[in-house]
PDB file of all heavy atoms in Angstrom:
ATOM      1  N   GLU A 100      -0.161  -4.196  26.562  1.00 98.00           N
ATOM      2  CA  GLU A 100      -0.861  -5.241  27.299  1.00 98.00           C
ATOM      3  C   GLU A 100      -2.341  -5.265  26.945  1.00 98.00           C
ATOM      4  O   GLU A 100      -2.921  -6.361  26.790  1.00 98.00           O
ATOM      5  CB  GLU A 100      -0.690  -5.042  28.815  1.00 98.00           C
ATOM      6  CG  GLU A 100      -1.391  -6.109  29.641  1.00 98.00           C
ATOM      7  CD  GLU A 100      -1.293  -5.868  31.160  1.00 98.00           C
ATOM      8  OE1 GLU A 100      -0.567  -4.959  31.565  1.00 98.00           O
ATOM      9  OE2 GLU A 100      -1.993  -6.630  31.916  1.00 98.00           O
ATOM     10  N   ALA A 101      -2.941  -4.104  26.781  1.00 98.00           N
ATOM     11  CA  ALA A 101      -4.376  -4.043  26.424  1.00 98.00           C
ATOM     12  C   ALA A 101      -4.581  -4.710  25.065  1.00 98.00           C
ATOM     13  O   ALA A 101      -5.522  -5.468  24.880  1.00 98.00           O
ATOM     14  CB  ALA A 101      -4.825  -2.599  26.367  1.00 98.00           C
ATOM     15  N   ALA A 102      -3.639  -4.485  24.121  1.00 98.00           N
ATOM     16  CA  ALA A 102      -3.737  -5.068  22.789  1.00 98.00           C
ATOM     17  C   ALA A 102      -3.526  -6.585  22.814  1.00 98.00           C
ATOM     18  O   ALA A 102      -4.045  -7.293  21.947  1.00 98.00           O
ATOM     19  CB  ALA A 102      -2.744  -4.392  21.844  1.00 98.00           C
ATOM     20  N   GLN A 103      -2.788  -7.038  23.771  1.00 98.00           N
ATOM     21  CA  GLN A 103      -2.450  -8.463  23.866  1.00 98.00           C
ATOM     22  C   GLN A 103      -3.564  -9.254  24.533  1.00 98.00           C
ATOM     23  O   GLN A 103      -3.595 -10.511  24.412  1.00 98.00           O
ATOM     24  CB  GLN A 103      -1.162  -8.693  24.645  1.00 98.00           C
ATOM     25  CG  GLN A 103       0.075  -8.236  23.887  1.00 98.00           C
ATOM     26  CD  GLN A 103       1.323  -8.238  24.751  1.00 98.00           C
ATOM     27  OE1 GLN A 103       1.257  -8.074  25.982  1.00 98.00           O
ATOM     28  NE2 GLN A 103       2.485  -8.473  24.122  1.00 98.00           N
ATOM     29  N   ARG A 104      -4.479  -8.611  25.193  1.00 98.00           N
ATOM     30  CA  ARG A 104      -5.539  -9.317  25.891  1.00 98.00           C
ATOM     31  C   ARG A 104      -6.482 -10.016  24.884  1.00 98.00           C
ATOM     32  O   ARG A 104      -6.576  -9.547  23.715  1.00 98.00           O
ATOM     33  CB  ARG A 104      -6.303  -8.402  26.805  1.00 98.00           C
ATOM     34  CG  ARG A 104      -5.454  -7.887  28.005  1.00 98.00           C
ATOM     35  CD  ARG A 104      -6.183  -6.915  28.874  1.00 98.00           C
ATOM     36  NE  ARG A 104      -7.243  -7.549  29.646  1.00 98.00           N
ATOM     37  CZ  ARG A 104      -7.134  -8.057  30.849  1.00 98.00           C
ATOM     38  NH1 ARG A 104      -5.973  -7.980  31.494  1.00 98.00           N
ATOM     39  NH2 ARG A 104      -8.130  -8.627  31.484  1.00 98.00           N
ATOM     40  N   PRO A 105      -7.189 -11.045  25.304  1.00 95.00           N
ATOM     41  CA  PRO A 105      -7.860 -11.925  24.337  1.00 95.00           C
ATOM     42  C   PRO A 105      -9.183 -11.395  23.783  1.00 95.00           C
ATOM     43  O   PRO A 105     -10.250 -11.971  24.020  1.00 95.00           O
ATOM     44  CB  PRO A 105      -8.081 -13.203  25.149  1.00 95.00           C
ATOM     45  CG  PRO A 105      -8.224 -12.737  26.554  1.00 95.00           C
ATOM     46  CD  PRO A 105      -7.255 -11.590  26.681  1.00 95.00           C
ATOM     47  N   ALA A 106      -9.099 -10.289  23.066  1.00 97.00           N
ATOM     48  CA  ALA A 106     -10.292  -9.805  22.378  1.00 97.00           C
ATOM     49  C   ALA A 106     -10.314 -10.332  20.949  1.00 97.00           C
ATOM     50  O   ALA A 106      -9.293 -10.409  20.287  1.00 97.00           O
ATOM     51  CB  ALA A 106     -10.305  -8.277  22.376  1.00 97.00           C
ATOM     52  N   ASP A 107     -11.508 -10.636  20.460  1.00 96.00           N
ATOM     53  CA  ASP A 107     -11.620 -11.087  19.053  1.00 96.00           C
ATOM     54  C   ASP A 107     -11.327  -9.967  18.065  1.00 96.00           C
ATOM     55  O   ASP A 107     -10.792 -10.227  17.010  1.00 96.00           O
ATOM     56  CB  ASP A 107     -13.092 -11.557  18.785  1.00 96.00           C
ATOM     57  CG  ASP A 107     -13.541 -12.656  19.757  1.00 96.00           C
ATOM     58  OD1 ASP A 107     -12.715 -13.542  20.029  1.00 96.00           O
ATOM     59  OD2 ASP A 107     -14.697 -12.587  20.220  1.00 96.00           O
ATOM     60  N   TRP A 108     -11.724  -8.754  18.449  1.00 98.00           N
ATOM     61  CA  TRP A 108     -11.717  -7.643  17.525  1.00 98.00           C
ATOM     62  C   TRP A 108     -11.098  -6.441  18.220  1.00 98.00           C
ATOM     63  O   TRP A 108     -11.424  -6.180  19.395  1.00 98.00           O
ATOM     64  CB  TRP A 108     -13.153  -7.341  17.101  1.00 98.00           C
ATOM     65  CG  TRP A 108     -13.429  -6.306  16.049  1.00 98.00           C
ATOM     66  CD1 TRP A 108     -13.689  -6.554  14.747  1.00 98.00           C
ATOM     67  CD2 TRP A 108     -13.523  -4.898  16.241  1.00 98.00           C
ATOM     68  NE1 TRP A 108     -13.920  -5.347  14.094  1.00 98.00           N
ATOM     69  CE2 TRP A 108     -13.810  -4.339  14.982  1.00 98.00           C
ATOM     70  CE3 TRP A 108     -13.385  -4.021  17.332  1.00 98.00           C
ATOM     71  CZ2 TRP A 108     -14.018  -2.955  14.800  1.00 98.00           C
ATOM     72  CZ3 TRP A 108     -13.545  -2.664  17.136  1.00 98.00           C
ATOM     73  CH2 TRP A 108     -13.866  -2.147  15.912  1.00 98.00           C
ATOM     74  N   LEU A 109     -10.242  -5.697  17.541  1.00 98.00           N
ATOM     75  CA  LEU A 109      -9.551  -4.555  18.200  1.00 98.00           C
ATOM     76  C   LEU A 109      -9.609  -3.350  17.261  1.00 98.00           C
ATOM     77  O   LEU A 109      -9.329  -3.469  16.055  1.00 98.00           O
ATOM     78  CB  LEU A 109      -8.106  -4.922  18.501  1.00 98.00           C
ATOM     79  CG  LEU A 109      -7.247  -3.828  19.105  1.00 98.00           C
ATOM     80  CD1 LEU A 109      -6.393  -4.385  20.267  1.00 98.00           C
ATOM     81  CD2 LEU A 109      -6.361  -3.145  18.048  1.00 98.00           C
ATOM     82  N   MET A 110     -10.015  -2.215  17.829  1.00 98.00           N
ATOM     83  CA  MET A 110      -9.954  -0.972  17.109  1.00 98.00           C
ATOM     84  C   MET A 110      -8.594  -0.313  17.428  1.00 98.00           C
ATOM     85  O   MET A 110      -8.309   0.012  18.582  1.00 98.00           O
ATOM     86  CB  MET A 110     -11.118  -0.036  17.544  1.00 98.00           C
ATOM     87  CG  MET A 110     -10.964   1.432  17.036  1.00 98.00           C
ATOM     88  SD  MET A 110     -10.782   1.559  15.224  1.00 98.00           S
ATOM     89  CE  MET A 110     -12.500   1.336  14.707  1.00 98.00           C
ATOM     90  N   ALA A 111      -7.782  -0.112  16.394  1.00 97.00           N
ATOM     91  CA  ALA A 111      -6.462   0.514  16.544  1.00 97.00           C
ATOM     92  C   ALA A 111      -6.615   1.989  16.216  1.00 97.00           C
ATOM     93  O   ALA A 111      -6.469   2.357  15.046  1.00 97.00           O
ATOM     94  CB  ALA A 111      -5.451  -0.148  15.683  1.00 97.00           C
ATOM     95  N   ALA A 112      -6.906   2.803  17.183  1.00 95.00           N
ATOM     96  CA  ALA A 112      -7.127   4.246  16.950  1.00 95.00           C
ATOM     97  C   ALA A 112      -6.212   5.104  17.813  1.00 95.00           C
ATOM     98  O   ALA A 112      -6.561   6.250  18.077  1.00 95.00           O
ATOM     99  CB  ALA A 112      -8.601   4.589  17.217  1.00 95.00           C
ATOM    100  N   VAL A 113      -5.074   4.553  18.229  1.00 92.00           N
ATOM    101  CA  VAL A 113      -4.070   5.367  18.917  1.00 92.00           C
ATOM    102  C   VAL A 113      -3.338   6.142  17.826  1.00 92.00           C
ATOM    103  O   VAL A 113      -2.810   5.570  16.871  1.00 92.00           O
ATOM    104  CB  VAL A 113      -3.085   4.486  19.697  1.00 92.00           C
ATOM    105  CG1 VAL A 113      -1.924   5.326  20.259  1.00 92.00           C
ATOM    106  CG2 VAL A 113      -3.780   3.768  20.825  1.00 92.00           C
ATOM    107  N   SER A 114      -3.325   7.446  17.935  1.00 82.00           N
ATOM    108  CA  SER A 114      -2.714   8.262  16.864  1.00 82.00           C
ATOM    109  C   SER A 114      -1.198   8.299  17.002  1.00 82.00           C
ATOM    110  O   SER A 114      -0.624   8.096  18.059  1.00 82.00           O
ATOM    111  CB  SER A 114      -3.290   9.697  16.936  1.00 82.00           C
ATOM    112  OG  SER A 114      -2.967  10.307  18.166  1.00 82.00           O
ATOM    113  N   GLY A 115      -0.567   8.558  15.848  1.00 78.00           N
ATOM    114  CA  GLY A 115       0.887   8.709  15.821  1.00 78.00           C
ATOM    115  C   GLY A 115       1.607   7.368  15.847  1.00 78.00           C
ATOM    116  O   GLY A 115       1.054   6.296  15.820  1.00 78.00           O
TER     117      GLY A 115
END
Side-chain angles (χ1 to χ4, degrees):
E100 180 183 350
Q103 290 172 330
R104 293 178 71 93
D107 304 318
W108 186 100
L109 178 137
M110 169 56 78
V113 173
S114 62

